[in-house]
Amino acid sequence: MQSFTELSEELKEILLMAHHKRKIIKGTFLYQEGMHANELFIVESGLIQVSKIVPDGRELTLRMCSKGDLIGELSLFCLSPKYMMNAKVIESGEVLVIFKDELEEKLEQNHQLALELMKWISLQYRKTQTKFRDLVLHGKKGALYSTLIRLANSYGELSREGITIKVPLTNQELANFCGTSREVVNRMLGELRKIGILSIDKGIITIHSLSYLKKEIDCENCPLDICNIE
């Protein structure tokens, strides 16, 4: 999957000319929806959940960002930009802080690098669009099944039992990825366990039949740089 580490060395050098580092504390927000967007962040350590609050008050998790990930990029290059998402710290760590105005000034001097960054930002839009597509076209089941597929692509390890997702998740956290309630996720996971599609041990999910999940939602087998949770 494409990440900050796969950008060109020249663009990475520009992005890494950060103004300063900032410590991030578990349970706090790096930024919240509606705040003025004048900073871009590169995760040095820790884990950050990027989410959107939908009109009825539910939370929809769109990305889980860890070391090397770029955050806040969707608000760049807009007049009077505001953050469109919430970025909550799940695990404490540090981020590099880049001022938007300084970055834009550097990119104005090198149009090729500006184009490269815009292509990278476009990829992030495509990821978000596919997640909303799954939710709209296939409902709650599609949202859960596609989330499990993305988690397998991002954090899965092959084992004799299938694909083990090496990140412990609560049912509430899964529900946030799906934009639904914990009770609905409990029921759907229970059904999948009953027919042997997956098993759960202390929050660790092992998928025994990824092909079943893909078939149920007419999976288009998108490339891994699109079909991931990051």
Side-chain angles (χ1 to χ4, degrees):
M1 64 191 68
Q2 184 174 355
S3 68
F4 166 78
T5 56
E6 295 177 350
L7 298 175
S8 70
E9 291 300 320
E10 192 173 1
L11 183 54
K12 279 194 290 185
E13 184 177 344
I14 288 178
L15 292 175
L16 288 172
M17 293 174 66
H19 189 268
H20 62 279
K21 285 187 180 182
R22 180 182 301 170
K23 290 186 179 298
I24 52 175
I25 307 300
K26 180 178 179 179
T28 63
F29 286 88
L30 186 59
Y31 55 80
Q32 290 182 275
E33 185 176 353
M35 290 175 56
H36 181 65
N38 59 0
E39 295 174 329
L40 185 69
F41 308 93
I42 298 173
V43 182
E44 280 254 293
S45 59
L47 186 66
I48 297 173
Q49 169 189 289
V50 178
S51 63
K52 178 79 173 177
I53 302 298
V54 295
D56 64 4
R58 289 174 297 154
E59 185 177 22
L60 178 60
T61 300
L62 297 171
R63 296 173 64 194
M64 295 296 287
C65 302
S66 54
K67 182 177 175 61
D69 285 330
L70 195 64
I71 304 180
E73 71 279 359
L74 297 184
S75 299
L76 285 175
F77 312 118
C78 300
L79 294 175
S80 301
K82 293 184 178 181
Y83 292 115
M84 298 180 290
M85 312 288 179
N86 298 304
K88 185 176 182 179
V89 181
I90 304 301
E91 294 179 5
S92 299
E94 288 187 327
V95 294
L96 296 173
V97 181
I98 303 168
F99 286 147
K100 172 181 172 289
D101 292 343
E102 293 180 6
L103 175 61
E104 288 183 351
E105 183 179 343
K106 292 171 184 174
L107 293 177
E108 283 177 0
Q109 299 168 9
N110 191 323
H111 293 172
Q112 186 61 39
L113 293 183
L115 178 60
E116 181 185 352
L117 183 60
M118 292 303 294
K119 287 180 178 179
W120 190 87
I121 292 173
S122 176
L123 176 63
Q124 308 313 308
Y125 270 117
R126 288 180 62 196
K127 290 181 183 180
T128 301
Q129 287 172 343
T130 59
K131 292 175 184 178
F132 280 118
R133 176 202 64 195
D134 294 335
L135 181 58
V136 170
L137 294 182
H138 302 287
K140 296 170 184 176
K141 183 178 80 170
L144 176 61
Y145 288 14
S146 64
T147 294
L148 291 171
I149 293 168
R150 288 186 173 91
L151 286 167
N153 288 339
S154 296
Y155 301 113
E157 289 186 8
L158 283 174
S159 64
R160 284 181 293 182
E161 292 77 21
I163 300 175
T164 300
I165 299 170
K166 291 295 186 178
V167 175
L169 293 165
T170 66
N171 286 2
Q172 183 60 62
E173 288 168 334
L174 276 176
N176 290 346
F177 277 112
C178 304
T180 188
S181 68
R182 184 184 62 198
E183 290 74 19
V184 169
V185 167
N186 288 347
R187 176 177 55 78
M188 290 193 291
L189 288 176
E191 292 170 353
L192 291 173
R193 294 172 74 171
K194 186 176 181 180
I195 60 176
I197 302 302
L198 56 76
S199 57
I200 305 175
D201 182 21
K202 298 179 181 177
I204 299 294
I205 298 172
T206 297
I207 299 173
H208 306 301
S209 179
L210 190 65
S211 60
Y212 174 89
L213 300 178
K214 290 184 174 183
K215 182 180 178 181
E216 285 293 298
I217 61 171
D218 301 318
C219 178
E220 298 176 0
N221 289 311
C222 297
L224 292 184
D225 61 352
I226 297 295
C227 188
N228 62 70
I229 213 71
E230 300 173 344

